[in-house]
Amino acid sequence: MSKKIFSGVQPTGNLHLGNYLGAIKNFVELNNEKDNECFFCVVDLHAITTKQEPKELKKNIRETAATFIASGIDPKKSIIFNQSMVSAHSEAAWILSCVSKIGWLNRMTQFKEKAGKDKEKASIGLYSYPVLMAADILLYDTTHVPVGDDQKQHLELCRDIAQKFNNDFNAPEFLRLPEPLIQKEFSRIMSLKDGLKKMSKSDPSDLSRVNLTDDKDQISNKIKKAKTDPLPIPSELNDLSQRPETANLLGIYSSLKNQNLEKSINEFNGKNFSEFKKKLSEILIEKIEPISKEIKKLLKDEKYLDTILLEGSQKADEIASKKIKEIKKLVGF
Ligand code: TYM
């Protein structure tokens, strides 16, 4: 069955290994499956839910598009575009926010994490962010949404919003309920400095993540400095439960090698970290360095990147503008 795929990445800089292994690597696989129709969106409207410097934002929009292409997404096969160029996203977000319940949004853990202690100072956009995300997905009759584990709750909300809209306007199955595509393993990559914290763009320590623009030396330096524990690599999966840093590094290795955790444990069983880290650096450099080099090359050609985004947005707009017209009609406009 052909799938309709939609996913988005925020252009907030420092795209990292977590974004790659949790999401972008899957985008590439879905792009390569024969009959899929894929939309990969640079979600710049989501980015401004926290303060962005305009020049930096523009650069990061291009860099996110460059990362998609450098990772292997073919802009001739998949639609790469930025959200702010397709006005239906903002319009649909408003309409859907009028059917969404405050109680639903109050449960969103990502808002609580991002807003921190002082919720009163967070923007309204940050609060209603998941409704815009639902609009993104629902405008394209998406069947599948590939994301990392941290977006699971937002996708459940998206399904609730779709169902509520369909019920409220007596339009069964009008908005299609999407299925999340979250990998069973390695869908949450943790910080290199703290195995209990998610690898994140906003971590002040650059040593906490491998950025997709890092070069060979930066990668091997970060792996050398990555936190471990004093024990050798275990022989049993169960022994990892109390060792979050070791579990994370072995997870990264396994994901890059496309093998399960058990196989990696068998490979390094009883060995010390210096040997494992050497192999981990090697595979990271093999997989990430070519992407990093290609991103830098693509960034030199701003015109090419702008054209990809413009053409992608025109194609996305054709589809999204039809759907928003139908939405408006159902609402009574
Ligand atoms: P964003 O920009 O925070 O992250 C982009 C993708 O990377 C995944 N990810 C991770 N996966 C594993 N381990 C990590 N440490 C890690 N950090 C990030 C995220 O799960 C995500 O898949 N709300 C979305 C963007 C969005 C979207 C959408 C996604 C907007 N509209 C519609 C899907 C469909 C976000 O903030 O992603």
Side-chain angles (χ1 to χ4, degrees):
M1 188 196 82
S2 75
K3 302 185 194 113
K4 276 199 185 176
I5 308 290
F6 188 100
S7 199
V9 174
Q10 290 194 67
T12 37
N14 294 336
L15 287 185
H16 53 72
L17 191 64
N19 297 125
Y20 181 70
L21 295 179
I24 300 171
K25 184 169 166 252
N26 297 346
F27 298 176
V28 177
E29 277 166 25
L30 292 160
N31 166 87
N32 292 343
E33 279 175 20
K34 204 167 141 257
D35 294 322
N36 291 347
E37 197 181 337
C38 301
F39 298 84
F40 297 118
C41 186
V42 179
V43 290
D44 47 9
L45 296 172
H46 278 106
I48 62 164
T49 56
T50 55
K51 197 163 190 298
Q52 304 295 325
E53 208 281 304
K55 278 205 185 96
E56 195 64 17
L57 178 62
K58 204 163 185 83
K59 178 182 149 272
N60 287 334
I61 291 170
R62 290 191 181 113
E63 190 168 310
T64 306
T67 304
F68 286 167
I69 300 166
S71 302
I73 296 171
D74 175 3
K76 288 201 186 75
K77 183 154 188 286
S78 295
I79 295 179
I80 296 176
F81 74 107
N82 59 319
Q83 198 185 24
S84 65
M85 294 223 269
V86 180
S87 58
H89 289 249
S90 311
E91 291 182 77
W94 179 257
I95 294 171
L96 294 178
S97 74
C98 297
V99 302
S100 306
K101 302 282 176 203
I102 289 177
W104 296 352
L105 285 169
N106 281 343
R107 286 201 286 275
M108 296 296 116
T109 52
Q110 188 163 302
F111 173 74
K112 290 179 199 159
E113 281 162 20
K114 288 202 174 170
K117 282 197 192 88
D118 202 352
K119 283 199 196 60
E120 301 283 311
K121 288 210 173 125
S123 71
I124 293 171
L126 189 67
Y127 182 71
S128 61
Y129 172 117
V131 182
L132 175 60
M133 183 164 158
D136 298 341
I137 296 166
L138 299 172
L139 278 171
Y140 297 89
D141 296 330
T142 302
T143 60
H144 295 85
V145 186
V147 281
D149 179 68
D150 60 342
Q151 297 299 314
K152 195 171 167 191
Q153 196 185 29
H154 290 162
L155 290 183
E156 282 159 10
L157 178 77
C158 171
R159 292 170 61 95
D160 288 343
I161 294 174
Q163 200 133 36
K164 174 95 172 13
F165 182 93
N166 292 347
N167 285 343
D168 283 3
F169 295 101
N170 199 15
E173 291 175 34
F174 169 71
L175 294 178
R176 187 169 196 160
L177 271 56
E179 296 296 332
L181 280 182
I182 302 175
Q183 306 165 91
K184 281 195 196 75
E185 289 188 299
F186 326 127
S187 57
R188 181 177 283 257
I189 303 297
M190 311 309 275
S191 156
L192 300 178
K193 291 273 139 205
D194 179 351
L196 297 174
K197 227 167 97 185
K198 200 176 70 173
M199 186 178 282
S200 152
K201 299 165 184 171
S202 53
D203 193 314
S205 167
D206 196 52
L207 290 175
S208 69
R209 60 182 167 260
V210 172
N211 296 312
L212 297 178
T213 48
D214 283 347
D215 63 24
K216 210 156 78 184
D217 295 338
Q218 286 167 310
I219 295 174
S220 65
N221 182 40
K222 285 177 180 178
I223 295 306
K224 256 187 217 136
K225 295 198 169 139
K227 188 173 169 198
T228 52
D229 55 44
L231 301 170
I233 310 283
S235 55
E236 300 285 335
L237 264 183
N238 282 345
D239 296 339
L240 284 178
S241 62
Q242 302 301 319
R243 301 177 63 186
E245 285 81 19
T246 307
N248 186 43
L249 293 180
L250 280 165
I252 293 173
Y253 181 82
S254 310
S255 180
L256 290 164
K257 284 279 223 185
N258 283 322
Q259 65 186 31
N260 61 27
L261 207 49
E262 221 153 12
K263 184 144 188 243
S264 304
I265 288 187
N266 289 338
E267 206 177 321
F268 294 103
N269 171 7
K271 298 205 168 118
N272 58 29
F273 272 100
S274 60
E275 201 168 325
F276 167 61
K277 280 187 166 183
K278 195 168 154 264
K279 291 280 183 207
L280 177 60
S281 282
E282 276 171 20
I283 183 82
L284 269 168
I285 291 167
E286 182 190 321
K287 300 281 179 179
I288 303 301
E289 205 197 18
I291 297 177
S292 166
K293 283 188 173 156
E294 188 62 20
I295 294 173
K296 285 169 192 153
K297 197 174 116 199
L298 287 165
L299 282 175
K300 290 197 187 120
D301 196 348
E302 290 183 353
K303 214 169 144 210
Y304 169 73
L305 294 171
D306 291 349
T307 307
I308 297 285
L309 288 170
L310 178 65
E311 287 176 358
S313 300
Q314 285 163 346
K315 287 184 202 149
D317 189 62
E318 264 177 46
I319 299 163
S321 61
K322 280 194 195 118
K323 192 77 182 177
I324 191 71
K325 250 192 202 143
E326 294 175 53
I327 292 175
K328 286 179 173 173
K329 202 168 154 202
L330 281 170
V331 170
F333 291 158

